[in-house]
PDB file of all heavy atoms in Angstrom:
ATOM      1  N   ASN A 183      -1.743   5.871  23.599  1.00 98.00           N
ATOM      2  CA  ASN A 183      -1.943   6.628  24.829  1.00 98.00           C
ATOM      3  C   ASN A 183      -1.664   8.117  24.568  1.00 98.00           C
ATOM      4  O   ASN A 183      -0.720   8.446  23.839  1.00 98.00           O
ATOM      5  CB  ASN A 183      -0.961   6.076  25.876  1.00 98.00           C
ATOM      6  CG  ASN A 183      -1.206   6.671  27.238  1.00 98.00           C
ATOM      7  OD1 ASN A 183      -1.035   7.879  27.422  1.00 98.00           O
ATOM      8  ND2 ASN A 183      -1.622   5.853  28.178  1.00 98.00           N
ATOM      9  N   TYR A 184      -2.450   9.011  25.194  1.00 97.00           N
ATOM     10  CA  TYR A 184      -2.303  10.442  24.909  1.00 97.00           C
ATOM     11  C   TYR A 184      -0.904  10.958  25.216  1.00 97.00           C
ATOM     12  O   TYR A 184      -0.469  11.988  24.698  1.00 97.00           O
ATOM     13  CB  TYR A 184      -3.350  11.268  25.662  1.00 97.00           C
ATOM     14  CG  TYR A 184      -3.210  11.241  27.171  1.00 97.00           C
ATOM     15  CD1 TYR A 184      -2.361  12.128  27.814  1.00 97.00           C
ATOM     16  CD2 TYR A 184      -3.917  10.330  27.931  1.00 97.00           C
ATOM     17  CE1 TYR A 184      -2.214  12.089  29.204  1.00 97.00           C
ATOM     18  CE2 TYR A 184      -3.780  10.277  29.313  1.00 97.00           C
ATOM     19  CZ  TYR A 184      -2.929  11.159  29.931  1.00 97.00           C
ATOM     20  OH  TYR A 184      -2.779  11.110  31.286  1.00 97.00           O
ATOM     21  N   TYR A 185      -0.158  10.226  26.030  1.00 97.00           N
ATOM     22  CA  TYR A 185       1.229  10.605  26.348  1.00 97.00           C
ATOM     23  C   TYR A 185       2.013  10.872  25.054  1.00 97.00           C
ATOM     24  O   TYR A 185       2.817  11.798  24.967  1.00 97.00           O
ATOM     25  CB  TYR A 185       1.863   9.463  27.160  1.00 97.00           C
ATOM     26  CG  TYR A 185       3.367   9.455  27.103  1.00 97.00           C
ATOM     27  CD1 TYR A 185       4.116  10.298  27.929  1.00 97.00           C
ATOM     28  CD2 TYR A 185       4.049   8.622  26.193  1.00 97.00           C
ATOM     29  CE1 TYR A 185       5.503  10.307  27.863  1.00 97.00           C
ATOM     30  CE2 TYR A 185       5.427   8.633  26.122  1.00 97.00           C
ATOM     31  CZ  TYR A 185       6.149   9.476  26.951  1.00 97.00           C
ATOM     32  OH  TYR A 185       7.507   9.488  26.878  1.00 97.00           O
ATOM     33  N   TYR A 186       1.759  10.031  24.027  1.00 98.00           N
ATOM     34  CA  TYR A 186       2.539  10.144  22.790  1.00 98.00           C
ATOM     35  C   TYR A 186       2.219  11.414  22.023  1.00 98.00           C
ATOM     36  O   TYR A 186       3.038  11.899  21.252  1.00 98.00           O
ATOM     37  CB  TYR A 186       2.334   8.903  21.904  1.00 98.00           C
ATOM     38  CG  TYR A 186       3.004   7.693  22.492  1.00 98.00           C
ATOM     39  CD1 TYR A 186       2.261   6.693  23.112  1.00 98.00           C
ATOM     40  CD2 TYR A 186       4.386   7.576  22.479  1.00 98.00           C
ATOM     41  CE1 TYR A 186       2.883   5.589  23.685  1.00 98.00           C
ATOM     42  CE2 TYR A 186       5.019   6.476  23.053  1.00 98.00           C
ATOM     43  CZ  TYR A 186       4.266   5.496  23.651  1.00 98.00           C
ATOM     44  OH  TYR A 186       4.885   4.422  24.217  1.00 98.00           O
ATOM     45  N   TYR A 187       1.030  11.940  22.217  1.00 97.00           N
ATOM     46  CA  TYR A 187       0.727  13.231  21.575  1.00 97.00           C
ATOM     47  C   TYR A 187       1.590  14.312  22.200  1.00 97.00           C
ATOM     48  O   TYR A 187       2.290  15.058  21.499  1.00 97.00           O
ATOM     49  CB  TYR A 187      -0.760  13.587  21.725  1.00 97.00           C
ATOM     50  CG  TYR A 187      -1.017  14.973  21.183  1.00 97.00           C
ATOM     51  CD1 TYR A 187      -1.142  15.163  19.809  1.00 97.00           C
ATOM     52  CD2 TYR A 187      -1.051  16.087  22.016  1.00 97.00           C
ATOM     53  CE1 TYR A 187      -1.309  16.437  19.289  1.00 97.00           C
ATOM     54  CE2 TYR A 187      -1.217  17.362  21.496  1.00 97.00           C
ATOM     55  CZ  TYR A 187      -1.345  17.528  20.134  1.00 97.00           C
ATOM     56  OH  TYR A 187      -1.491  18.779  19.615  1.00 97.00           O
ATOM     57  N   HIS A 188       1.570  14.383  23.507  1.00 96.00           N
ATOM     58  CA  HIS A 188       2.306  15.450  24.191  1.00 96.00           C
ATOM     59  C   HIS A 188       3.808  15.304  23.968  1.00 96.00           C
ATOM     60  O   HIS A 188       4.522  16.287  23.862  1.00 96.00           O
ATOM     61  CB  HIS A 188       1.922  15.482  25.670  1.00 96.00           C
ATOM     62  CG  HIS A 188       0.459  15.787  25.832  1.00 96.00           C
ATOM     63  ND1 HIS A 188      -0.080  17.013  25.504  1.00 96.00           N
ATOM     64  CD2 HIS A 188      -0.583  15.007  26.200  1.00 96.00           C
ATOM     65  CE1 HIS A 188      -1.385  16.986  25.697  1.00 96.00           C
ATOM     66  NE2 HIS A 188      -1.719  15.775  26.121  1.00 96.00           N
ATOM     67  N   TYR A 189       4.234  14.066  23.823  1.00 97.00           N
ATOM     68  CA  TYR A 189       5.655  13.797  23.585  1.00 97.00           C
ATOM     69  C   TYR A 189       6.149  14.499  22.307  1.00 97.00           C
ATOM     70  O   TYR A 189       7.293  14.934  22.220  1.00 97.00           O
ATOM     71  CB  TYR A 189       5.856  12.283  23.465  1.00 97.00           C
ATOM     72  CG  TYR A 189       7.266  11.872  23.161  1.00 97.00           C
ATOM     73  CD1 TYR A 189       8.184  11.642  24.186  1.00 97.00           C
ATOM     74  CD2 TYR A 189       7.701  11.727  21.837  1.00 97.00           C
ATOM     75  CE1 TYR A 189       9.497  11.284  23.895  1.00 97.00           C
ATOM     76  CE2 TYR A 189       9.002  11.378  21.546  1.00 97.00           C
ATOM     77  CZ  TYR A 189       9.901  11.157  22.576  1.00 97.00           C
ATOM     78  OH  TYR A 189      11.200  10.812  22.291  1.00 97.00           O
ATOM     79  N   THR A 190       5.291  14.612  21.291  1.00 97.00           N
ATOM     80  CA  THR A 190       5.718  15.142  19.988  1.00 97.00           C
ATOM     81  C   THR A 190       5.966  16.642  20.006  1.00 97.00           C
ATOM     82  O   THR A 190       6.511  17.187  19.055  1.00 97.00           O
ATOM     83  CB  THR A 190       4.655  14.888  18.903  1.00 97.00           C
ATOM     84  OG1 THR A 190       3.472  15.633  19.262  1.00 97.00           O
ATOM     85  CG2 THR A 190       4.318  13.418  18.757  1.00 97.00           C
ATOM     86  N   GLY A 191       5.529  17.322  21.061  1.00 97.00           N
ATOM     87  CA  GLY A 191       5.763  18.764  21.143  1.00 97.00           C
ATOM     88  C   GLY A 191       4.666  19.584  20.489  1.00 97.00           C
ATOM     89  O   GLY A 191       4.761  20.816  20.416  1.00 97.00           O
ATOM     90  N   LEU A 192       3.592  18.949  20.016  1.00 98.00           N
ATOM     91  CA  LEU A 192       2.476  19.716  19.449  1.00 98.00           C
ATOM     92  C   LEU A 192       1.699  20.377  20.594  1.00 98.00           C
ATOM     93  O   LEU A 192       1.677  19.851  21.712  1.00 98.00           O
ATOM     94  CB  LEU A 192       1.562  18.800  18.629  1.00 98.00           C
ATOM     95  CG  LEU A 192       2.119  18.384  17.267  1.00 98.00           C
ATOM     96  CD1 LEU A 192       1.257  17.309  16.626  1.00 98.00           C
ATOM     97  CD2 LEU A 192       2.247  19.589  16.324  1.00 98.00           C
ATOM     98  N   PRO A 193       1.072  21.530  20.334  1.00 97.00           N
ATOM     99  CA  PRO A 193       0.427  22.256  21.430  1.00 97.00           C
ATOM    100  C   PRO A 193      -0.744  21.498  22.064  1.00 97.00           C
ATOM    101  O   PRO A 193      -1.526  20.851  21.352  1.00 97.00           O
ATOM    102  CB  PRO A 193      -0.070  23.543  20.768  1.00 97.00           C
ATOM    103  CG  PRO A 193       0.075  23.349  19.311  1.00 97.00           C
ATOM    104  CD  PRO A 193       1.011  22.222  19.048  1.00 97.00           C
ATOM    105  N   ALA A 194      -0.869  21.631  23.369  1.00 97.00           N
ATOM    106  CA  ALA A 194      -1.925  20.935  24.107  1.00 97.00           C
ATOM    107  C   ALA A 194      -3.307  21.318  23.577  1.00 97.00           C
ATOM    108  O   ALA A 194      -4.239  20.504  23.586  1.00 97.00           O
ATOM    109  CB  ALA A 194      -1.806  21.269  25.592  1.00 97.00           C
ATOM    110  N   GLU A 195      -3.467  22.541  23.051  1.00 96.00           N
ATOM    111  CA  GLU A 195      -4.795  22.992  22.565  1.00 96.00           C
ATOM    112  C   GLU A 195      -5.316  22.126  21.419  1.00 96.00           C
ATOM    113  O   GLU A 195      -6.512  22.102  21.147  1.00 96.00           O
ATOM    114  CB  GLU A 195      -4.757  24.431  22.021  1.00 96.00           C
ATOM    115  CG  GLU A 195      -4.246  25.482  22.932  1.00 96.00           C
ATOM    116  CD  GLU A 195      -2.735  25.626  22.791  1.00 96.00           C
ATOM    117  OE1 GLU A 195      -2.275  26.333  21.888  1.00 96.00           O
ATOM    118  OE2 GLU A 195      -2.037  24.989  23.622  1.00 96.00           O
ATOM    119  N   ASP A 196      -4.401  21.464  20.699  1.00 97.00           N
ATOM    120  CA  ASP A 196      -4.873  20.655  19.564  1.00 97.00           C
ATOM    121  C   ASP A 196      -5.244  19.236  19.970  1.00 97.00           C
ATOM    122  O   ASP A 196      -5.646  18.434  19.127  1.00 97.00           O
ATOM    123  CB  ASP A 196      -3.808  20.603  18.458  1.00 97.00           C
ATOM    124  CG  ASP A 196      -3.667  21.944  17.770  1.00 97.00           C
ATOM    125  OD1 ASP A 196      -4.666  22.679  17.712  1.00 97.00           O
ATOM    126  OD2 ASP A 196      -2.555  22.257  17.309  1.00 97.00           O
TER     127      ASP A 196
END
Side-chain angles (χ1 to χ4, degrees):
N183 187 295
Y184 65 86
Y185 158 82
Y186 289 105
Y187 174 80
H188 298 292
Y189 178 89
T190 64
L192 285 171
E195 304 89 84
D196 290 330

